Amino acid sequence: GRNEEAEVQLRTALTAEPESYELAYSLGLLLAEMEKWEEAEHYLAIAVSGMPDHPRAAYNLQQIREFLQNRK
């Protein structure tokens, strides 16, 4: 599907530009949409580490962490 294609494209782009926190953020959001929660958390954490003033990245990371915590 489209999400899978987008995932491949974002992973490829991130491999070429590992310091692109915007790409990490986009991939994290996409993975969350696909319910790949642990991977989404990983990429959003990378995004937040590189863009600490990005309010949506921090918010989305917190939401996923709360979801994962409540799932246990």
Side-chain angles (χ1 to χ4, degrees), residues 7-34:
E7 180 185 357
V8 170
Q9 290 176 346
L10 284 168
R11 287 182 188 277
T12 301
L14 198 53
T15 299
E17 293 182 65
E19 298 298 312
S20 176
Y21 300 109
E22 284 290 342
L23 286 173
Y25 177 64
S26 296
L27 181 55
L29 291 181
L30 178 66
L31 291 167
E33 187 177 313
M34 297 169 72

Side-chain angles (χ1 to χ4, degrees), residues 5-70:
E5 290 173 25
E7 180 185 357
V8 170
Q9 290 176 346
L10 284 168
R11 287 182 188 277
T12 301
L14 198 53
T15 299
E17 293 182 65
E19 298 298 312
S20 176
Y21 300 109
E22 284 290 342
L23 286 173
Y25 177 64
S26 296
L27 181 55
L29 291 181
L30 178 66
L31 291 167
E33 187 177 313
M34 297 169 72
E35 298 184 2
K36 296 182 178 182
W37 305 113
E38 288 82 4
E39 278 190 284
E41 179 188 22
H42 172 78
Y43 286 104
L44 287 173
I46 290 170
V48 169
S49 73
M51 302 184 303
D53 297 328
H54 191 296
R56 297 300 302 172
Y59 173 79
N60 287 315
L61 177 60
Q62 182 61 35
Q63 292 295 107
I64 287 174
R65 286 183 170 162
E66 287 179 18
F67 173 78
L68 289 172
Q69 188 67 27
N70 291 332

